[in-house]
Amino acid sequence: MLERLRDPFGFGRPGFERHAKDFGDLPRLDGLRVLITGASGGLGQATRSACDALGATTFDASRSSGWDLTDPARVGALAEELGEVDVLVHNAGVLPTAYQETAEGLELALALNLVATHRLTRALPAKKVIWVSSGGGLTQSLEVEPMFSPPKPYDGVVQYARTKRAEIVLAKLWARERPNSCFSAMHPGWADTPGVSSSLPTFHKLTKGVLRTPEQGADTIVWLCGAQVETGKFWFDRSQADALPLPGVRSAAADEAALWARLESLL
Ligand SMILES: NC(=O)c1ccc[n+]([C@@H]2O[C@H](COP(=O)([O-])OP(=O)(O)OC[C@H]3O[C@@H](n4cnc5c(N)ncnc54)[C@H](OP(=O)(O)O)[C@@H]3O)[C@@H](O)[C@H]2O)c1
């Protein structure tokens, strides 16, 4: 009862432990080449370690390993170097605490969380593509123009959530574009990572006792790397989840088409 009060959405560790009672073994990944963006820390690093242990050959794309994904030239070079992979995990993400712009003139969260993932999906053939979205994305309707031109004063939490909503939509749109590959978006819950403690220090302080470990947050990412699932869906704790659970939150077809057109225009 107390746990339900401390973790009302099941996004924390108590929720994971409850849901994990129904989990089987993770699928083996022998022979698979898996690229995980942002695998130098946090959830990406935990995902990479788990994939390695399950037999995959893994690659990291982060600034620490020389790949700033907000630079379109580095995205192209990365795709050229790897040629193709079996699984592409779009994990690198940022929640900026203040407005920042890339050299290309895009707001930082938009550039890394969304535009870079679209470019890399286009440039690097993969049988499976996974977007690590966020529960925050569920709070926002898909709104393309405010995401590309964030209103002032800048609110990094809202901007981040808009990009995370758009990631869920993008998995669906890519599933239509490439019916022979599998595209998924997922929500890792709330995990204790460097990103959470630096971008959301108050949230981190208040929830620290119930946050998931990075390994628990990474579990569904790793599961999706090996599981046979329906393309274009949204996942949480190894189950398909409702991407529009809140009243009044929408993802209109016209906005989805506008999102695709904006991203394609940036290729
Ligand atoms: N932790 C949570 O509770 C939580 C909840 C919901 C969703 N998520 C999502 O899960 C993903 C991982 O989150 P996290 O908490 O593990 O974040 P994190 O601790 O901040 O790690 C982010 C990773 O992204 C890399 N990165 C940052 N900027 C980059 C760039 N320009 N190019 C390439 N890589 C870059 C970082 O490595 P370098 O610094 O070396 O570049 C790092 O490896 C994010 O997409 C986040 O939105 C996390």
Side-chain angles (χ1 to χ4, degrees):
M1 179 65 182
L2 192 60
E3 274 189 358
R4 296 247 179 199
L5 284 175
R6 292 172 76 213
D7 184 20
F9 309 109
F11 292 176
R13 200 175 53 238
F16 180 83
E17 286 165 356
R18 215 165 47 243
H19 301 151
K21 288 186 181 131
D22 299 326
F23 293 174
D25 290 343
L26 284 163
R28 295 285 313 171
L29 303 175
D30 301 288
L32 297 185
R33 283 159 49 87
V34 181
L35 170 62
I36 302 137
T37 67
S40 60
L43 297 183
Q45 192 173 51
T47 301
R48 187 177 192 189
S49 301
C51 289
D52 284 339
L54 290 163
T57 301
T58 57
F59 306 92
D60 166 41
S62 62
R63 289 168 302 182
S64 315
S65 58
W67 302 105
D68 184 340
L69 298 172
T70 65
D71 177 349
R74 299 303 294 150
V75 172
L78 171 65
E80 201 166 310
E81 185 171 307
L82 290 178
E84 64 181 293
V85 293
D86 296 288
V87 186
L88 165 56
V89 179
H90 293 305
N91 165 78
V94 63
L95 189 168
T97 50
Y99 185 86
Q100 290 176 63
E101 231 174 65
T102 63
E104 196 185 4
L106 296 173
E107 184 279 330
L108 180 60
L110 171 74
L112 180 62
N113 304 357
L114 197 66
V115 175
T117 70
H118 190 67
R119 285 185 170 135
L120 190 54
T121 305
R122 189 59 89 191
L124 181 65
K127 295 181 196 81
K128 271 189 182 198
V129 184
I130 300 159
W131 275 266
V132 180
S133 178
S134 166
L138 303 179
T139 64
Q140 293 292 318
S141 294
L142 179 65
E143 290 194 276
V144 179
E145 283 316 311
M147 182 170 64
F148 276 81
S149 305
K152 289 181 183 140
Y154 176 76
D155 185 334
V157 173
V158 171
Q159 175 67 1
Y160 169 83
R162 285 196 167 120
T163 66
K164 291 289 159 180
R165 160 63 62 198
E167 289 182 356
I168 299 171
V169 175
L170 203 49
K172 186 173 83 173
L173 298 177
W174 269 103
R176 285 186 202 149
E177 173 84 2
R178 281 197 195 147
N180 294 330
S181 299
C182 182
F183 299 89
S184 307
M186 60 76 66
H187 162 35
W190 291 332
D192 196 347
T193 63
V196 170
S197 54
S198 63
S199 292
L200 296 168
T202 307
F203 172 81
H204 182 254
K205 204 170 159 191
L206 291 173
T207 59
K208 194 169 169 36
V210 289
L211 290 178
R212 297 177 176 206
T213 64
E215 291 71 25
Q216 291 171 336
D219 175 83
T220 296
I221 310 173
V222 180
W223 177 78
L224 281 168
C225 287
Q228 299 297 317
V229 298
E230 192 182 343
T231 187
K233 301 298 180 193
F234 177 60
W235 301 86
F236 175 58
D237 281 352
R238 302 197 197 180
S239 293
Q240 201 181 310
D242 182 1
L244 290 166
L246 298 178
V249 175
R250 298 176 337 119
S251 181
D255 294 320
E256 294 182 355
L259 172 68
W260 187 264
R262 283 300 292 262
L263 291 172
E264 286 286 289
S265 75
L266 287 167
L267 289 176

